[in-house]
Amino acid sequence: LGPMVSAAAVARAETLIEEARSQGATVLVDGRKGALVEKLRRETGGFWLGPTVISGVRKSMRVYEEEVFAPVLCVMECDSVREA
């Protein structure tokens, strides 16, 4: 993975992640923090966001409705293959 395009892009992705969490989704892997992301930010000055996995995402959440343009994977549960 490489850096994101701007600080604003990172902030937007972080906002979508936090909104999903506050609306009941679970952040299984949080790329907003961590030793590697902090090191890359410090050493390169780039705009980094690590891989993020969010479960319990619903269609009504912005993280589902909008293109995140970041290394964020949204997981939704379905009752059937047809629903998926």
Side-chain angles (χ1 to χ4, degrees), residues 17 21 25-32 51-56 73 75:
I17 294 165
R21 189 204 59 75
T26 302
V27 180
L28 299 174
V29 178
D30 194 342
R32 296 175 289 179
T52 301
V53 179
I54 308 170
S55 70
L73 175 69
V75 179

Side-chain angles (χ1 to χ4, degrees), residues 16 19-26 54-66 74:
L16 291 172
E19 281 181 9
R21 189 204 59 75
S22 70
Q23 293 171 356
T26 302
I54 308 170
S55 70
V57 173
R58 295 183 311 278
K59 291 180 182 180
S60 61
M61 294 178 175
R62 280 183 52 202
V63 75
Y64 173 85
E65 293 178 341
E66 299 179 14
C74 297

Side-chain angles (χ1 to χ4, degrees), residues 14 30-38 41 49:
E14 289 177 338
D30 194 342
R32 296 175 289 179
K33 299 178 183 173
L36 180 58
V37 171
E38 294 301 323
R41 287 177 178 169
L49 179 69

